Every structure is written in C-alpha cells, then in structure tokens.
Amino acid sequence: MRAIWRKEIKTTGRQVVSLPVGAKILNVQVLEDSWGLWYLCNTKAPFEDRYIAVYTAGQEVGNGTYIGTIQDGPLVFHVFEEDS
C-alpha cells in the first residue's frame, strides 16, 4: 500500500533520517513548532538511512538534490538530500 507520511527533521546541519526504501520526498514545511519532511512510500517496504542537509544563504552547499525552502519567521533555510 502507498501512503504519504511525515518525518520530523532538525532545523540545522546534516542528519540521517530513516525512510522506507524507494520513498519519494515530496516537500518540507513548518507544521506548528516543528519542521516536517513529507514523503510518498510503500508502507510495506523496509527502512533505509537517507541524508538530509539544511543550509542558509551564503553557506557552501554539498552535492545533493534540492528538496525545498523553509521560511521560519525571519529566517530562510534550504533543504537538500545528499549522498552518504
């Protein structure tokens, strides 16, 4: 079965998140007081580690795929998925 799930992510730095194998990351947004990463997945798939990095303007960005931008109050952050 396929479903859209949400995973809370940290607001800074590089982090490891556990997602079902083959999950497609859809979006990142602020929900109430936390940041969320929404993804489409096969709910029966095993989990794997994925690498998420958060950058601010002017920081050097690693090699990765852009996911989205989050504006949290007066601050703006850019979220990427990176290779291990």
Side-chain angles (χ1 to χ4, degrees):
M1 178 166 94
R2 290 182 353 144
I4 296 174
W5 285 352
R6 176 184 182 267
K7 181 75 143 192
E8 191 170 315
I9 61 171
K10 298 175 191 170
T11 59
T12 59
R14 187 178 152 112
Q15 58 203 281
V16 178
V17 296
S18 185
L19 303 179
V21 171
K24 177 181 165 94
I25 297 173
L26 302 173
N27 199 356
V28 288
Q29 292 186 31
V30 176
L31 177 64
E32 296 177 359
D33 292 333
S34 66
W35 287 18
L37 177 115
W38 280 263
Y39 56 95
L40 177 65
C41 67
N42 174 348
T43 61
K44 306 283 188 199
F47 283 74
E48 67 180 350
D49 288 341
R50 307 265 292 263
Y51 302 89
I52 304 299
V54 178
Y55 299 99
T56 57
Q59 281 187 294
E60 187 172 325
V61 176
N63 291 329
T65 302
Y66 173 77
I67 297 170
T69 295
I70 293 178
Q71 184 172 351
D72 194 356
L75 304 174
V76 178
F77 303 88
H78 309 285
V79 183
F80 287 76
E81 180 174 12
E82 297 184 339
D83 297 332
S84 60

